[in-house]
């Protein structure tokens, strides 16, 4: 029987600042010079990176945003709801293997959108996350609860739960 603890140990995962557990598995050796990237990048970035990311039942991936789109790709376990807050208001997507019931193997989170997730079916969710240009913590921002509520007062409940 696979569990969150099994995968965290087997894959040597460490706690992520947003919640859950991760390990970087790929970092491209090719570098994109800063002049070629958008203005939001003051330094060069590698072409792309990938991580394992694990959420256990009751864990939260807290609201955060990135400067680039991120792909979440299902690997194992149940499913999670991904909450995205942007110009469109709140959008919820489900990542998981039950594609006949509204889940998807792949979910793409647009850049600059605040997003958070929690496991809604099963004991855990194991996914791969990729971002291009490659991930740097300088491009990652965790939300402050009150600021996010001020910007999205209609979604106070989910913000309070997942910040
Ligand atoms: N490396 C460290 N944290 C992250 C993350 O949240 N996403 C991606 N794609 N890579 C990371």
């Amino acid at each position: 029987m696979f569990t969150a603890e099994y995968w965290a140990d087997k894959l040597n995962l460490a706690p992520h600042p947003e919640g859950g557990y991760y390990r970087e598995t790929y970092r491209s050796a090719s570098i994109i010079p800063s002049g070629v990237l958008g203005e939001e990048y003051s330094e060069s970035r590698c072409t792309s990176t990938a991580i394992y990311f694990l959420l256990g039942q009751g864990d939260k991936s807290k609201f955060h945003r990135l400067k680039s789109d991120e792909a979440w790709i299902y690997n194992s376990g149940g499913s999670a709801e991904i909450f995205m807050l942007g110009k469109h208001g709140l959008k919820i997507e489900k990542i998981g293997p039950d594609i006949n019931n509204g889940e998807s193997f792949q979910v793409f989170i647009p850049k600059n959108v605040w997003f958070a997730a929690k496991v809604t079916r099963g004991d855990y969710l194991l996914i791969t996350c990729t971002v291009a240009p490659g991930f740097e913590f300088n491009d990652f921002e965790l939300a402050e609860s009150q600021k996010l509520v001020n910007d999205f007062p209609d979604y106070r409940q989910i913000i309070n739960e997942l910040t």
Side-chain angles (χ1 to χ4, degrees), residues 20-39:
Y21 298 84
Y22 82 114
R23 180 169 54 85
E24 189 172 278
T25 49
Y26 174 72
R27 177 163 287 264
S28 167
S30 35
I31 300 295
I32 311 172
S34 61
V36 178
L37 296 167
E39 278 176 0

Side-chain angles (χ1 to χ4, degrees), residues 24-97:
E24 189 172 278
T25 49
Y26 174 72
R27 177 163 287 264
S28 167
S30 35
I31 300 295
I32 311 172
S34 61
V36 178
L37 296 167
E39 278 176 0
E40 62 275 31
Y41 295 95
S42 54
E43 298 144 13
S44 63
R45 291 283 179 270
C46 78
T47 308
S48 72
T49 54
I51 58 169
Y52 282 125
F53 184 59
L54 173 74
L55 281 175
Q57 180 63 250
D59 288 345
K60 343 173 173 180
S61 163
K62 293 184 279 186
F63 273 101
H64 63 288
R65 65 181 175 184
L66 302 176
K67 287 183 182 173
S68 290
D69 302 345
E70 184 167 52
W72 281 29
I73 301 157
Y74 177 85
N75 291 155
S76 177
S79 60
E81 282 183 346
I82 306 172
F83 301 86
M84 304 183 205
L85 284 172
K87 290 194 192 92
H88 48 71
L90 177 67
K91 188 174 168 199
I92 303 175
E93 294 212 27
K94 289 182 193 170
I95 183 166

Side-chain angles (χ1 to χ4, degrees), residues 118-136:
K118 63 176 176 180
V119 172
T120 44
R121 187 172 60 73
D123 295 333
Y124 71 88
L125 174 73
L126 177 66
I127 61 172
T128 290
C129 303
T130 69
V131 64
F135 182 92
E136 293 290 341

